[in-house]
Amino acid sequence: MSDGKKGTRYNQQPPPPPYGTFQGVVNHPPPTAIGFPQPVPPPGISGGPHPPPPQFYAHGYQTVPGYAVAEGRPVREARLPCCGIGFGWFLFIIGFFTVGIPWYLAAMLLVCSRLDPREKPGYVASTIAAVIATIAVIFGLTSMDS
């Protein structure tokens, strides 16, 4: 009887005390997910074997089958008029010096004609300026001060 007690209870060494700040405590359980929702496997995944991971760039860069690649010199677009800023921005700038009349012209061109997509922001800015100028004139003419 004394042999059994001697071998199991009295000869065991206590575990060494944990040392350091970042090692963690040996008897502490690992962190679990906290909060909602709890992590679950995605739908359709079963406990069976998983497919092999995809081989990224296994054969280098390949083109997509059936997709034509343009070879040769790149296509250059024509330069915009009015010193390269476009006619829409030109009308926007000139409208400040000519009482906003070019803004109305830009609004009509935006509504009634087909434009280069690179020039549309200038035409839109001119149209917004024309609307703001119209609202300012209407409120200026209807003021009760005079």
Side-chain angles (χ1 to χ4, degrees), residues 35-63:
F36 182 79
Q38 293 293 327
V40 295
I45 297 294
S46 63
H50 297 290
Q55 306 229 347
F56 295 107
Y57 306 109
H59 305 290
Y61 291 99
Q62 300 291 324
T63 59

Side-chain angles (χ1 to χ4, degrees), residues 93-106:
I93 294 169
I94 296 299
F96 289 103
F97 302 111
T98 58
V99 196
I101 294 171
W103 295 339
Y104 297 102
L105 174 65

Side-chain angles (χ1 to χ4, degrees), residues 19-81:
Y19 177 76
T21 309
F22 303 105
Q23 280 84 13
V25 181
V26 177
N27 61 355
H28 191 269
T32 58
I34 298 173
F36 182 79
Q38 293 293 327
V40 295
I45 297 294
S46 63
H50 297 290
Q55 306 229 347
F56 295 107
Y57 306 109
H59 305 290
Y61 291 99
Q62 300 291 324
T63 59
V64 178
Y67 182 73
V69 177
E71 299 276 335
R73 294 177 52 182
V75 178
R76 290 190 60 129
E77 295 193 30
R79 191 171 172 196
L80 292 174

Side-chain angles (χ1 to χ4, degrees), residues 100-120:
I101 294 171
W103 295 339
Y104 297 102
L105 174 65
M108 292 304 296
L109 286 173
L110 180 66
V111 172
C112 299
S113 67
R114 178 181 250 174
L115 303 170
D116 185 357
R118 298 177 295 162
E119 291 193 38
K120 277 192 179 178

